[in-house]
Amino acid sequence: MSPSALELPRLSRLVRLAGPIVFAQIAFFGMNTTDTIVAGQLGADVLAGVALGGTMLMIGMTFLLGFGLAVSPGVAHRIGEQREAAEIGRFSASALRLMVVLWTLWGVLLWLFPPLVLDQLSLEPAVRDGAVSYLRALSLGTPFLGVFFALRNTLEGLGHSRPVMWIGFTALLLNIPLDLALMSGWGPLPALGALGCGLATALVQMWLAAAMVWLFWRDPRFVPYQPRGAWQPEAGREVLQQGFPIGAALASETALFATGGLLMTRFGTETIGASQIALNFTGMMFMIALGLGQAVAVLIGQAAGARQAAAVRRIGALGYQSMCVLSGLIALLLLSMPSPIVALYTDDAAVAAIAVSFLRIAGVFHLVDALQALGSGMLRGLKDTAFVMQATTFAYWGVGGAAFIWLFHFKASGAQAVWWVYCAALAAAAALLGIRFAWQVRRLPARYQESQT
């Protein structure tokens, strides 16, 4: 890509890259939605088991996702610098090896440690056993996720997001019958409940890895970028140095939600299920923000690699404009139609009533969550990931953690207070990240000029 192509990015270019990423994210999250819907039809115990298992899963999973998200800016910077395809392939190969090791270790932890954690909580036996069996079955597919995320982020860093979208939709289409067959039982297959949910997810993870490998070895557009070559210590260090802060920031946010989820156990099984429904739907809507933030990170990374400060500034402005419009429309949907949304998940009147109250708060929640996702993506594109970790850790635990202590230690509050804590923490993160990006953009022209002298 020539530097001149980066000078004046237009909305159409952002849409061409972001659109497939958004649809891919929705497809991937749709698998989680399918899990939740099928679990909800099997009863509150199965739903709560999958919900608690998913909460524990996401703490480590989001940390590891950070290393994948470090790959796309690394590739994007090399594209902007006009590096050779073989060199990009060697970078991708090192990232692939590192991520397979990390995801395999996470699978081992998912098998061993959930019983030790869940036994410390006052859970109904059926809920506890469902969460353990779900996580152990799912752990069988984690090494394949390492392959998938390394290659997926390589593709997106290259500026090719459409293949990821099609792979995501095929995975969703595969997940639906697997969930129904393994969770509810089809023909000779017994109904396995939460265990079946984990097995279905593991099988889909294997498919994702296989499809991505096929792309790099068979599609002529990507064969030149095949992840080949010996381990490159400098590439591994780059992924670790950039990925650890991203992963820590994501894990910090997930831990905030996990803490809220554990606090929900004080209010009973219905409240746990209701919160899972609200988090699931808002999480699906968040895929739009996450996809747009990832596209902005790639475009900023390519512009930064080509040392085009004007392009970085313009991409950031387009990102904010687009995000405000999209997240504003979604907030209106959450505020105006909570009951029809909840009806898609459950017909349990008690669960539905609580979930509706959560979704009304989620209008504010989504706005600030979308803006912090965009701020994080823009700073990833500039490889300013250390600040992302520092700012989000302060926001989620300096603000959110303090609010949790105040609400639940010093005064009695309902379950809705947990959602207002989410809103406050995410708003603080969005403000800090946005201010940092504006500061970085002002410094870019001088930095690029200094590097050329």
Side-chain angles (χ1 to χ4, degrees):
M1 181 176 295
S2 64
S4 61
L6 294 166
E7 289 177 357
L8 293 174
R10 296 184 177 181
L11 180 61
S12 59
R13 183 163 169 250
L14 176 60
V15 171
R16 283 196 301 271
L17 180 59
I21 295 178
V22 168
F23 282 111
Q25 291 296 139
I26 291 174
F28 294 131
F29 197 84
M31 292 185 281
N32 186 41
T33 303
T34 303
D35 295 345
T36 303
I37 291 174
V38 176
Q41 302 306 314
L42 296 178
D45 287 343
V46 176
L47 178 59
V50 172
L52 286 177
T55 298
M56 296 182 66
L57 168 72
M58 290 305 293
I59 296 175
M61 185 174 179
T62 49
F63 175 69
L64 294 180
L65 285 175
F67 297 96
L69 291 173
V71 174
S72 52
V75 172
H77 273 254
R78 287 165 172 79
I79 289 290
E81 295 165 359
Q82 300 183 334
R83 304 280 189 93
E84 293 182 357
E87 182 178 351
I88 295 173
R90 289 191 291 271
F91 170 79
S92 178
S94 297
L96 175 62
R97 292 184 177 98
L98 176 64
M99 292 187 64
V100 168
V101 171
L102 293 174
W103 281 92
T104 300
L105 291 174
W106 175 234
V108 173
L109 293 177
L110 285 177
W111 186 275
L112 295 177
F113 284 98
L116 302 178
V117 176
L118 294 175
D119 286 344
Q120 307 306 311
L121 304 175
S122 300
L123 297 173
E124 298 173 11
V127 175
R128 181 263 185 203
D129 293 343
V132 171
S133 62
Y134 167 73
L135 289 171
R136 285 183 166 173
L138 185 145
S139 70
L140 301 176
T142 54
F144 299 93
L145 279 181
V147 175
F148 170 71
F149 283 117
L151 298 182
R152 173 201 170 158
N153 283 281
T154 298
L155 274 183
E156 292 178 356
L158 293 171
H160 291 279
S161 55
R162 192 164 294 180
V164 181
M165 175 183 71
W166 293 119
I167 290 174
F169 276 114
T170 60
L172 175 60
L173 293 176
L174 179 62
N175 187 69
I176 293 171
L178 284 175
D179 264 353
L180 292 172
L182 296 175
M183 294 179 70
S184 303
W186 270 3
L189 296 175
L192 299 176
L195 171 63
C197 183
L199 289 173
T201 302
L203 290 171
V204 171
Q205 290 166 353
M206 296 174 191
W207 156 251
L208 288 171
M212 198 60 70
V213 169
W214 183 91
L215 261 182
F216 273 89
W217 263 260
R218 294 297 182 184
D219 193 314
R221 294 173 297 172
F222 310 124
V223 168
Y225 300 97
Q226 282 181 1
R228 292 178 178 270
W231 166 259
Q232 292 185 319
E234 65 277 9
R237 281 195 299 270
E238 179 180 338
V239 174
L240 287 172
Q241 289 171 356
Q242 295 294 316
F244 181 87
I246 300 171
L250 293 173
S252 180
E253 180 182 7
T254 303
L256 178 75
F257 291 130
T259 302
L262 293 176
L263 289 170
M264 288 291 181
T265 62
R266 297 175 49 174
F267 302 100
T269 300
E270 289 82 6
T271 301
I272 297 172
S275 187
Q276 174 65 13
I277 288 171
L279 284 171
N280 183 268
F281 187 80
T282 54
M284 184 168 62
M285 295 297 100
F286 178 69
M287 294 302 102
I288 299 174
L290 189 62
L292 181 57
Q294 177 68 352
V296 169
V298 170
L299 293 178
I300 286 179
Q302 291 177 352
R307 300 182 182 281
Q308 295 290 331
V312 172
R313 183 182 300 107
R314 177 64 175 156
I315 293 166
L318 284 174
Y320 268 115
Q321 292 163 7
S322 303
M323 191 68 80
C324 286
V325 171
L326 290 173
S327 59
L329 291 174
I330 293 170
L332 287 175
L333 173 67
L334 293 168
L335 290 170
S336 60
M337 298 181 62
S339 296
I341 292 170
V342 172
L344 296 173
Y345 289 87
T346 184
D347 55 6
D348 187 307
V351 174
I354 301 170
V356 166
S357 71
F358 290 153
L359 280 181
R360 290 200 172 105
I361 303 171
V364 176
F365 169 89
H366 180 77
L367 279 171
V368 293
D369 201 14
L371 290 175
Q372 70 81 24
L374 177 63
S376 178
M378 293 189 299
L379 292 177
R380 286 200 310 271
L382 294 175
K383 294 189 175 181
D384 187 12
T385 58
F387 181 82
V388 174
M389 178 181 67
Q390 295 161 3
T392 53
T393 300
F394 169 77
Y396 301 145
W397 295 104
V399 176
F404 273 144
I405 292 172
W406 181 75
L407 285 171
F408 291 94
H409 185 67
F410 294 108
K411 65 177 290 187
S413 299
Q416 288 76 14
V418 173
W419 279 77
W420 286 117
V421 172
Y422 294 158
C423 293
L426 292 169
L432 291 171
L433 296 173
I435 292 170
R436 176 70 170 192
F437 179 74
W439 180 77
Q440 287 281 34
V441 165
R442 285 196 298 270
R443 297 177 64 240
L444 285 179
R447 283 173 51 191
Y448 292 158
Q449 185 175 7
E450 289 175 2
S451 65
Q452 292 172 355
T453 59

